[in-house]
Amino acid sequence: SWHPMGRQRDEEEIAARKAKKERNKALKQAARATAPPASAASKGAKAKPQAVKKKEKCRRPAAEGGAGPRVPQLPFNANSDDHCETSPQAFRDVAPLLKLLAARLGKAPEALSIYDPYFCSGGSKRHLAASGFPKVHNQCEDFYAIQKEGRVPEHDVVVTNPPYSDDPDGGPNHVAKLLKFLAKDRKPFLLNMPEYVASTGYYKRRFAQVGQARYPKRGAPPLLLCPGKRYHFWSPAGSRPEHENKNPSAHTDDALGVRSSPFVALWYIDLMPFVEREELLHLAASGALEGIGRPESGEQGACRLCRGQDELPEGRFKFRPLDSAACESQAG
């Protein structure tokens, strides 16, 4: 119900709010009066241009004339989401391992024969050559047809980033097919793949029984090399139009394409029979492999060679160099 005292309190509150508003207005006017005059250049320099500048820094348009990698007409059906090539940094990370393998084979690094069966735009061939390994077979050809026809090229090691899409007809996916090939190939391999692959049923079945799938003692799962900083992948411009339309501010590079990092990627490594698993772990722990350590001994920003997922550093999900705190394993 209405009461005269209630009306009086309402009027007092309204008056107090008006007085406060007038005081704030007076303070702002006084601040503007005492502030130094702005120069003509500074008048246009507001916060918004900084945001635009930041966006321009994140996205550099491709150079005129079609510079940069492009996906050619492929002789096989490809899912556009698979057009993600390994970064140059990832290849630099495994260069010490490839040099070690070359030495065990009695070859110079430039003579090491590398096979990458999955073609996108030839990025692996360019980046491996830049890391000192020019002898790379990565051609625009159908890997599965090559296998069927018995035309797999001679090679010392397989280094690849396989497609991750599923078979549209419901068959085994590309990673499962690759693992089957490697079991028959009986050569060392380094595979750049998502961490989740190590948890899949087909992966666990492939390496379930030590010693039966490959060389003696070689059925054990590959070692996992966690990068010192989370990897990005690079898609040739125009190769993934849906992704580019959804992410118009994605970072681009004239020489590499469009950047993305949809998941944590690791190197799955098996250099048997030339370098035993335990020996490779010991070399990493002793500092004999440049830029590669163990979870408990690696320097800041160095890669970590792990026996399995339980040793992977907790800091692997972040886009910054691993430090000692981030290298405490999940098991710890």
Side-chain angles (χ1 to χ4, degrees):
S1 62
W2 179 86
H3 192 279
M5 289 300 294
R7 179 178 181 180
Q8 182 179 352
R9 284 196 297 269
D10 291 342
E11 292 175 348
E12 290 174 352
E13 290 175 1
I14 292 172
R17 286 198 294 270
K18 285 184 177 179
K20 183 177 180 180
K21 187 175 180 180
E22 290 298 328
R23 285 197 301 272
N24 290 338
K25 185 177 180 180
L27 290 172
K28 289 180 180 179
Q29 289 176 344
R32 283 196 294 267
T34 57
S39 64
S42 63
K43 284 180 181 178
K46 298 181 180 179
K48 211 154 203 175
Q50 292 179 0
V52 173
K53 184 177 180 181
K54 183 177 180 181
K55 186 174 181 180
E56 289 173 350
K57 181 180 179 182
C58 292
R59 182 173 178 80
R60 287 184 285 169
E64 295 182 3
R70 292 289 185 274
V71 177
Q73 185 68 38
L74 300 172
F76 51 85
N77 293 326
N79 187 322
S80 62
D81 283 342
D82 290 332
H83 295 322
C84 295
E85 295 192 297
T86 302
S87 70
Q89 181 58 52
F91 288 115
R92 288 193 290 267
D93 286 345
V94 295
L97 299 175
L98 294 174
K99 290 178 181 177
L100 173 64
L101 178 61
R104 294 297 171 89
L105 292 170
K107 295 186 174 184
E110 56 269 21
L112 185 69
S113 181
I114 298 174
Y115 181 35
D116 181 356
Y118 295 103
F119 185 85
C120 180
S121 76
S124 64
K125 189 170 186 176
R126 295 190 297 271
H127 303 324
L128 281 165
S131 295
F133 305 95
K135 195 174 180 180
V136 180
H137 184 101
N138 180 229
Q139 302 295 332
C140 185
E141 57 192 13
D142 186 340
F143 172 43
Y144 304 119
I146 294 294
Q147 284 187 72
K148 189 175 181 180
E149 296 165 9
R151 296 191 292 112
V152 173
E154 288 295 323
H155 56 280
D156 298 315
V157 58
V158 173
V159 181
T160 191
N161 163 18
Y164 308 135
S165 61
D166 292 326
D167 187 328
D169 298 325
N173 65 16
H174 296 286
V175 177
K177 291 177 181 178
L178 173 63
L179 294 177
K180 183 178 181 180
F181 164 77
L182 293 171
K184 296 178 180 179
D185 188 50
R186 303 172 73 83
K187 295 287 180 70
F189 62 77
L190 297 90
L191 315 178
N192 189 12
M193 303 192 297
E195 179 186 338
Y196 68 73
V197 169
S199 301
T200 61
Y202 60 80
Y203 182 89
K204 292 180 178 179
R205 287 191 296 273
R206 175 61 57 185
F207 299 105
Q209 296 181 338
V210 174
Q212 294 191 16
R214 301 170 66 80
Y215 290 105
K217 299 182 182 179
R218 197 171 179 186
L223 297 175
L224 303 178
L225 185 69
C226 180
K229 185 178 179 182
R230 180 168 166 170
Y231 287 144
H232 289 99
F233 291 86
W234 294 92
S235 302
S239 63
R240 299 176 67 202
E242 289 188 12
H243 172 75
E244 293 180 35
N245 292 336
K246 289 180 181 178
N247 301 276
S249 61
H251 179 94
T252 65
D253 185 280
D254 289 347
L256 299 172
V258 183
R259 188 177 72 179
S260 64
S261 182
F263 39 69
V264 172
L266 312 169
W267 281 105
Y268 292 66
I269 296 169
D270 187 341
L271 300 186
M272 296 278 281
F274 304 102
V275 187
E276 298 283 342
R277 287 166 51 87
E278 292 302 318
E279 181 188 3
L280 195 56
L281 290 166
H282 173 73
L283 290 172
S286 66
L289 301 173
E290 184 180 357
I292 299 175
R294 291 279 285 131
E296 68 280 1
S297 63
E299 298 179 356
Q300 180 171 355
C303 297
R304 265 62 178 187
L305 189 63
C306 306
R307 293 179 184 275
Q309 287 178 287
D310 60 338
E311 286 191 351
L312 290 172
E314 292 183 353
R316 65 190 183 280
F317 302 100
K318 301 177 181 179
F319 292 98
R320 61 170 180 253
L322 293 174
D323 54 28
S324 56
C327 291
E328 296 176 2
S329 68
Q330 297 181 62

